[in-house]
Amino acid sequence: EIQHWLEYAWSSGFDPTGAEQLGGVVSTRTWIGATEAVALLRFAGLRAEVVDFEGRGCGDAMEKWAWRHFNGGCSDGSPSLDEGTDGSLSLGSGRQLSATQPICRGGKGGGDGEDRDSGDDHRPRPCTTPVFLQWRGHSVTVVGVERRGNGSGRKGSLLILDPGVSPRELEGALERRSGWQQLIKRGTHTFKADAYQIVYSPPGMASAAERTAGKVIAAILHVKT
């Protein structure tokens, strides 16, 4: 079905370069990449951008970018590597937690071991979408960032959902509260490919002008390390 939607997007003028290069994807095993994902999202009326990372040290650069993204720093559609406020754990909710502080899904907290949010329960919080991370031959969904330590000793990990990991295996590890870290954490040093692409969706729907301009797809940021 995704193959059909991609060809609908192409026939509507989205990503003409990709359409020419791939020709057709329906009923094939053609590898669909980051620009095709952007074409699909923009065709659906969403805002979508792609960021390129190239060279050695991609892992550290992506961790810095993702940290800012999950803290709402890319909500204006202008991503950068400026990190803003530091912390230890950055999730899609836009909240920062210490490495040992558990996540509270709601309520003001107050009991032992709860996340003690201050203020009104119903106050608005930043909401940040997961991002699509792709490199040659594989893709994952990044849902957050973990940081441990400070200064030169700081270590960062991307929190990912990998289609190569069985959902049943991950569910079992979470229920046992054992072994789940190795299934969703990827240290920056483990990203050894020469190039990566991240697709993310800024808040809001695209205007008619944005949708027209968005038919031609190019990286909004190109990071060389």
Side-chain angles (χ1 to χ4, degrees):
E1 187 174 354
I2 290 178
Q3 293 175 332
H4 285 285
W5 281 112
L6 178 57
E7 293 202 0
Y8 292 153
W10 285 343
S11 66
S12 298
F14 288 86
D15 192 21
T17 301
E20 182 179 356
Q21 289 177 344
L22 295 181
V25 294
V26 172
S27 300
T28 72
R29 298 179 65 85
T30 301
W31 179 50
I32 293 176
T35 54
E36 287 75 45
V38 171
L40 282 167
L41 292 170
R42 290 182 179 178
F43 174 64
L46 299 172
R47 292 174 173 149
E49 303 291 352
V50 60
V51 182
D52 288 341
F53 294 86
E54 180 181 355
R56 299 183 64 181
C58 281
D60 290 335
M62 291 190 297
E63 187 267 355
K64 289 179 180 179
W65 185 94
W67 180 263
R68 184 170 185 266
H69 171 79
F70 286 113
N71 280 292
C74 302
S75 60
D76 59 355
S78 304
S80 76
L81 296 186
D82 296 331
E83 301 178 59
T85 305
D86 198 6
S88 292
L89 185 63
S90 182
L91 300 169
S93 63
R95 301 160 65 196
Q96 297 174 7
L97 306 174
S98 70
T100 58
Q101 186 179 8
I103 302 166
C104 180
R105 294 187 179 276
K108 296 182 180 179
D112 291 340
E114 293 183 342
D115 177 16
R116 299 173 186 270
D117 285 337
S118 60
D120 187 352
D121 263 0
H122 305 290
R123 70 190 187 285
R125 291 172 174 165
C127 183
T128 308
T129 58
V131 302
F132 175 71
L133 170 61
Q134 177 150 32
W135 61 98
R136 186 167 184 81
H138 199 51
S139 59
V140 298
T141 302
V142 182
V143 296
V145 181
E146 181 191 63
R147 285 180 171 178
R148 292 182 179 273
N150 296 300
S152 60
R154 188 182 71 195
K155 294 183 179 180
S157 299
L158 297 183
L159 308 180
I160 66 171
L161 297 178
D162 190 332
V165 174
S166 163
R168 181 172 297 179
E169 180 184 8
L170 178 56
E171 182 180 3
L174 290 170
E175 289 177 348
R176 295 190 304 271
R177 299 187 179 183
S178 174
W180 61 268
Q181 294 95 334
Q182 63 189 17
L183 299 178
I184 68 171
K185 288 185 184 181
R186 282 285 304 270
T188 58
H189 65 284
T190 66
F191 293 96
K192 300 183 183 297
D194 294 330
Y196 295 85
Q197 289 184 304
I198 282 179
V199 174
Y200 76 101
S201 180
M205 302 295 289
S207 65
E210 288 175 321
R211 201 164 182 267
T212 299
K215 290 184 176 182
V216 176
I217 298 172
I220 194 173
L221 180 69
H222 189 93
V223 181
K224 288 189 175 182
T225 60

